[in-house]
Amino acid sequence: MAETSSVTSSIPKIGDRAPDFQANSSKGPLSLKDYKGKWVILFSHPADFTPVCTTEFIEFAKRYDEFEKRNAQLIGLSIDSVYSHIAWLLQMEKIYGVEVKFPVIADLNMNVANLYGLIHERASATSTVRAVFFIDPEGVVRALIYYPASTGRNIDEILRVLDSLTYADSFMIATPANWNAGDDVIVPQPATLQAAKERLKDKNLNVKDWFLAIKKSPK
Ligand code: BEZ
C-alpha cells in the first residue's frame, strides 16, 4: 500500500467522553445524547452495497434482539447518502429477509467520522474503516475495536465485550481470555502485601496465585 503523509483524525480513547453529534440517518435525524441511559454500539462500515458490509449488516440485524436485551442501541455509519442506506436496507429485506431495525448514519460531511477517528487515510481517505465504539449509559467510551475493510466483524465478540463491561461494572470483577457470560470470573488482585497473604489462604476462591484468583460467575 502506498505511503502518504496525511494524518489520521483523532480517536477518542477509553475513558473519554464520547463526542456528541447530530446526524441524519435511515431513521431520520438523531444525536448521541438521545441515547443517554443506554449503551450505544456505534459502528462504521466502509460502504453500502459491498459484500463484507452486507454480511455484517445481515448478522447485526439477526442479533438485534440480543443487543436490545442488554439495553444497547446499535447505530451504523458510513459516508453514504441516506438514499443509498434506504436502498441497501430495502434490498437486504427483499433478498435476505432481514429488517435492519437500528439507524444507519449518513455521514456525507464526515462530521462523525472525523470526531471518532473513523477515516484512516492510508486505508481510504473517502470511506470509514470498520470501527466499533462501546459507549456506556453515561456517555463514556469504554472500548473500541478497529478492523480493516477485508475483515468482517464477529457479532459474538461484540456481545461478549458488552457483557464483560456490564459484568465488570456490576460485580467489580474482570473477565479472562475467551470468557463468555456465565463463565468463571477473575477477582481483582490484592493491593497490599497483607491482602496478598490473605488471598493465598482464601478457601472461597480458586486461587492460582496471589494475583490470580477465580470465582464462579455472579448471576
Ligand atoms: C466489503 O464490504 O466487501 C468491502 C468494502 C470496502 C472495501 C473492500 C471490501
Side-chain angles (χ1 to χ4, degrees), residues 45-56 88 127-128 130 148-151:
H45 65 281
D48 297 349
F49 296 101
T50 52
V52 177
C53 301
T54 301
T55 63
E56 290 185 318
W88 188 41
S127 61
T128 44
R130 297 184 201 283
S150 53
T151 304

Side-chain angles (χ1 to χ4, degrees), residues 3-207:
E3 287 271 314
T4 70
S5 60
S6 50
V7 289
T8 302
S9 55
S10 73
I11 297 174
K13 299 187 192 75
I14 291 175
D16 287 351
R17 181 145 296 281
D20 194 23
F21 55 79
Q22 284 83 43
N24 196 16
S25 83
S26 55
K27 286 189 176 287
L30 59 78
S31 67
L32 181 63
K33 64 176 168 5
D34 299 339
Y35 300 97
K36 192 157 170 29
K38 292 188 88 167
W39 285 86
V40 171
I41 309 298
L42 174 66
F43 70 99
S44 54
H45 65 281
D48 297 349
F49 296 101
T50 52
V52 177
C53 301
T54 301
T55 63
E56 290 185 318
F57 266 69
I58 291 169
E59 292 309 314
F60 274 120
K62 284 185 183 164
R63 311 289 296 273
Y64 178 80
D65 290 351
E66 293 175 65
F67 288 93
E68 281 266 288
K69 260 188 245 153
R70 290 164 171 83
N71 188 34
Q73 175 66 53
L74 288 167
I75 303 179
L77 177 149
S78 72
I79 301 168
D80 287 295
S81 71
V82 82
Y83 300 108
S84 169
H85 287 340
I86 290 168
W88 188 41
L89 302 184
L90 280 173
Q91 196 190 67
M92 271 186 264
E93 262 189 65
K94 192 168 152 204
I95 298 182
Y96 305 101
V98 292
E99 185 186 355
V100 173
K101 294 183 181 154
F102 53 86
V104 186
I105 291 173
D107 196 30
L108 280 178
N109 60 10
M110 303 190 193
N111 176 39
V112 185
N114 284 323
L115 281 173
Y116 282 80
L118 305 177
I119 312 268
H120 295 197
E121 286 87 347
R122 288 179 185 164
S124 167
T126 53
S127 61
T128 44
V129 291
R130 297 184 201 283
V132 186
F133 278 80
F134 298 76
I135 301 168
D136 75 14
E138 298 303 317
V140 174
V141 174
R142 300 291 300 280
L144 51 158
I145 318 178
Y146 281 83
Y147 302 79
S150 53
T151 304
R153 282 159 285 200
N154 183 324
I155 312 305
D156 286 329
E157 174 61 2
I158 295 170
L159 288 164
R160 193 187 80 88
V161 172
L162 187 54
D163 285 339
S164 171
L165 288 164
T166 55
Y167 269 62
D169 286 356
S170 300
F171 305 117
M172 293 279 292
I173 51 85
T175 61
N178 298 334
W179 177 88
N180 282 297
D183 292 350
D184 292 353
V185 297
I186 292 176
V187 181
Q189 63 201 59
T192 64
L193 178 58
Q194 182 58 30
K197 287 179 180 171
E198 282 163 19
R199 174 63 56 81
L200 286 167
K201 290 185 276 184
D202 192 331
K203 298 278 179 269
N204 295 316
L205 301 174
N206 176 1
V207 179

